[in-house]
Amino acid sequence: MCPAVRDRLKRQPPRRDAVEAGYPLYVLRLGITVLPHLPVDGAWLCTVIACDRPGMLPTGICTVHDLDLATAVEVRNPWCPHVDLTAADYLSVWEVRARQRFCGRPGTLEAALVAAADTDTLQVATGRQVNPRLATAAGCGRYPAAVRVECARLVAAGFLLTLFTDDTDPERRYAFAIPPAPWPTP
């Protein structure tokens, strides 16, 4: 597991004190819903019952780290796990998945975007006039063009959806999206 992702997961509030066998849990980092069965050294043996990646479902039992299960979300519908997420949980999944995708990067832009997000719409305005402190919070200093470049990288990877048609739009609003996790999973 990437150190940036591990650090982000450790800062997540644990959703349960102990994992119990038999409850479907959506694992944020991996994009899979699992049924935990048996604890093993630092992990659990789990059956994958759903994944957010199109195509064939991996079969059999896999091991999932304790940290992944401690921060996993219990879901009612394993095939549509994002439906059960609150706005805060959705943004947490988004940030964990973005850090997983771009492992090795500090993740300050992702954290700044989540902090500036409108939790009612799951959108963020990145324009200099609307959100003047975003570049500084993202570690881009006084260079708002760097925010544009980094947001374009997130759009290309499927993490942000562009909601403006003109580059001169003062708001430069984006919607958050959670793309499928890359394989291999665990």
Side-chain angles (χ1 to χ4, degrees), residues 75-183:
V75 293
R76 292 174 290 156
N77 184 345
W79 298 275
C80 298
H82 300 160
V83 172
D84 292 328
L85 300 177
T86 64
D89 285 342
Y90 187 91
L91 292 171
S92 291
V93 171
W94 184 88
E95 187 176 357
V96 166
R97 197 71 65 78
R99 287 191 183 201
Q100 176 73 15
R101 169 70 169 80
F102 301 108
C103 192
R105 300 180 60 87
T108 52
L109 174 68
E110 290 85 355
L113 290 172
V114 167
D118 178 352
T119 56
D120 290 334
T121 62
L122 292 174
Q123 296 178 7
V124 63
T126 62
R128 179 192 276 176
Q129 293 83 10
V130 178
N131 203 340
R133 294 185 201 97
L134 182 64
T136 304
C140 298
R142 57 179 191 216
Y143 302 105
V147 172
R148 287 188 182 130
V149 169
E150 292 300 310
C151 285
R153 174 182 57 88
L154 290 167
V155 167
F159 286 95
L160 292 177
L161 303 173
T162 307
L163 300 177
F164 57 91
T165 55
D166 186 4
D167 278 343
T168 61
D169 184 344
E171 285 194 355
R172 297 188 62 84
R173 192 167 284 281
Y174 294 93
F176 291 90
I178 301 174
W183 293 104

Side-chain angles (χ1 to χ4, degrees), residues 49-73:
I49 59 172
C51 64
D52 62 7
R53 183 152 186 90
M56 291 194 55
L57 181 68
T59 58
I61 292 184
C62 65
T63 57
V64 179
H65 296 295
D66 283 340
L67 181 59
D68 281 322
L69 290 182
T71 57
V73 179

